[in-house]
Amino acid sequence: MDLVLTKWIALKGTSVLASCRVEELSSRFPSVMIRDAAGFTCYLSTEREYQISGGYGAAAIYPLGKGGVLGGLWNMLEQINAGMEIDLRKIPIRQETVEICEFFDLNPYYTDSTGALLVAVEDGFGLVSVLEREGIHAAVIGRTNDGNDRIIYNQGKKRYLDRPQKEELEKVFD
C-alpha cells in the first residue's frame, strides 16, 4: 500500500514554539515568519482529510502527534503489522518548521505533528489528487511491504527506522 501524509509535519510543535518563544525567535527571524508559524494552529483539525481518506478506502489512518512523523510511522506499522520504504525528502515540511526546529536544536521528524495524518491506501496518488482538489496538501511518502524492515531513504542513502526512544517522544519545550 502507498503511505500518504496529509499537510505537513511538526505543525503543532512549530506553532507552540512560535507562540511561546517569540522573544528568542525575534532575535533571528522576521516577525511575519514567527506570526505565520504561530498561525499553524489553523491546520490542526484533521476531520476533513480523515473523512476523505476513509471514504477513499484507506486500510489504516493514523493521526500524528507528540512522536512526530517517525514515531507515528513506527506505531502505525506496528498496528498493521507491516514494514515500509519511505523517502525522507518526500515528507512535507514547511520552511518555518525547518528554521524554528534548527534554532531550538529539535529534530522536526520527532516534533509534535498534530494536524497531519498518515494514511495507508492502495492508490495513494489518487487519494492525494482528491485531497488536493479539496485544498488539503498531501504527498505519497513511500509504501508498506510484507516484511518487518522499516527503511528510510535519504539522498540515496538507506537506513532503518529505529524504535523511537522515550526521550524523543516526550521531549518537552522548556
Side-chain angles (χ1 to χ4, degrees), residues 8-19:
W8 305 271
I9 63 166
L11 288 171
K12 185 170 182 186
T14 303
S15 176
V16 168
L17 288 166
S19 298

Side-chain angles (χ1 to χ4, degrees), residues 58-70:
I61 303 172
Y62 190 87
L64 296 182
K66 288 186 180 182
V69 66
L70 296 181

Side-chain angles (χ1 to χ4, degrees), residues 24-36:
E24 289 169 81
L25 290 168
S26 295
S27 69
R28 182 166 174 193
F29 302 109
S31 60
V32 68
M33 186 197 108
I34 299 166
R35 190 173 47 253
D36 288 350

Side-chain angles (χ1 to χ4, degrees), residues 3-7 90-92 124 128 132 137-142:
L3 290 170
V4 173
L5 181 82
T6 66
K7 297 185 200 143
K90 291 185 179 179
I91 295 175
V128 167
E132 294 280 347
H137 183 72
V140 175
I141 62 170

Side-chain angles (χ1 to χ4, degrees), residues 5-6 8-14 16 43-44 46 49 61-76 79 97 101 107-118 164-173:
L5 181 82
T6 66
W8 305 271
I9 63 166
L11 288 171
K12 185 170 182 186
T14 303
V16 168
Y43 297 117
L44 298 185
T46 57
E49 60 259 40
I61 303 172
Y62 190 87
L64 296 182
K66 288 186 180 182
V69 66
L70 296 181
L73 279 164
W74 183 272
N75 292 334
M76 179 183 191
Q79 288 178 3
T97 297
C101 283
N107 183 335
Y109 299 99
Y110 285 111
T111 300
D112 191 337
S113 290
T114 299
L117 296 177
L118 280 171
Q165 300 302 307
K166 188 175 183 182
E167 307 82 59
E168 292 167 330
L169 299 177
E170 296 179 354
K171 189 153 191 168
V172 177
F173 306 124

Side-chain angles (χ1 to χ4, degrees), residues 116-137:
L117 296 177
L118 280 171
V119 182
V121 63
E122 286 299 326
D123 178 15
F125 294 98
L127 176 59
V128 167
S129 179
V130 170
L131 288 165
E132 294 280 347
R133 280 196 302 270
E134 292 292 321
I136 301 166
H137 183 72

